[in-house]
Amino acid sequence: MRFNNTEDDDKEDLYESFEPEEPKKPKEPEYRPDDPRYWDNDEDEWEHLRPTTRWRRVLLWTAAACIAAAAGWLAWRLVFAPYSEDAVQYGYVETVELRGDLFKTYEGVLLPYKNLHDTTRIYREDFTFSTSDKLGKTMREFQNSGRPLRVEYRTYRHAFPWRGEQKRVVVRVDTVNPDSIIPADWLRPH
């Protein structure tokens, strides 16, 4: 027989020595000042410094509102607020490429007109930018065409994937006559 319970009868029962715990004393009620029993209790020395439940709620809501306001301001400052608007650059479009894995944006390079035609200063840097689909396709038509463009852009504090890889974001593109950018008398030899 597999299950023989006769041997178990000799063992000590586990529950015989079990004694239940003493029940905890109920918490004494806290009386309010309008109850006569309130004045019978001894006053705690530090009771006047403890905040009431109402003040705890007020402090908690005030702290939550301050944190939410600070987070909102920080989000607005970093994501939405540019630190320069309606800036203008003239130049020739060198490259415009569609880039990005999740967020597809056009990234490009503009050769600044003033840097190319300035004979006194060394050429400093190219104008790199990001732009939307519509403007990216328009600028791609002018790539290596030899025609200058007028580009309006915004410079943000940080680059974000949905805006592009660059801090500069082009918002408007126009063609321009090269004679209107630099006066003709500057181009003539003296």
Side-chain angles (χ1 to χ4, degrees), residues 1-122:
M1 180 177 215
R2 230 177 194 187
F3 300 105
N4 188 359
N5 292 337
T6 57
E7 295 174 8
D8 290 343
D9 292 340
D10 299 337
K11 292 184 180 175
E12 183 179 325
D13 190 10
L14 296 175
Y15 295 104
E16 285 180 10
S17 63
F18 176 74
E19 295 179 16
E21 295 179 10
E22 291 184 26
K24 294 180 182 178
K25 293 181 180 178
K27 188 176 179 182
E28 292 186 22
E30 292 184 19
Y31 302 113
R32 296 180 166 256
D34 57 346
D35 190 349
R37 292 176 286 185
Y38 175 81
W39 304 104
D40 294 338
N41 294 339
D42 293 332
E43 186 174 328
D44 186 11
E45 182 179 359
W46 304 103
E47 185 64 32
H48 65 284
L49 296 177
R50 290 192 185 110
T52 61
T53 307
R54 179 175 165 257
W55 282 108
R56 285 183 194 154
R57 276 191 239 131
V58 168
L59 289 174
L60 182 66
W61 281 105
T62 303
C66 290
I67 290 170
W73 177 82
L74 187 64
W76 174 259
R77 179 110 171 128
L78 291 178
V79 178
F80 301 111
Y83 64 87
S84 72
E85 288 188 29
D86 301 330
V88 176
Q89 183 69 265
Y90 295 93
Y92 301 99
V93 178
E94 182 182 354
T95 59
V96 177
E97 303 172 343
L98 182 63
R99 289 191 200 158
D101 294 327
L102 184 61
F103 299 101
K104 300 285 186 184
T105 57
Y106 280 90
E107 308 294 324
V109 176
L110 186 83
L111 301 174
Y113 195 84
K114 66 180 179 181
N115 292 349
L116 293 175
H117 293 284
D118 190 359
T119 57
T120 58
R121 287 183 237 154
I122 298 173

Side-chain angles (χ1 to χ4, degrees), residues 147-180:
R147 295 184 300 190
L149 293 177
R150 179 181 186 270
V151 175
E152 289 183 20
Y153 64 95
R154 291 182 181 157
T155 305
Y156 290 89
R157 289 175 178 82
H158 301 283
F160 286 102
W162 55 88
R163 276 196 308 235
E165 295 175 5
Q166 304 299 324
K167 292 181 183 180
R168 291 187 201 116
V169 178
V170 173
V171 293
R172 187 170 175 205
V173 176
D174 291 323
T175 58
V176 66
N177 183 2
D179 295 335
S180 66

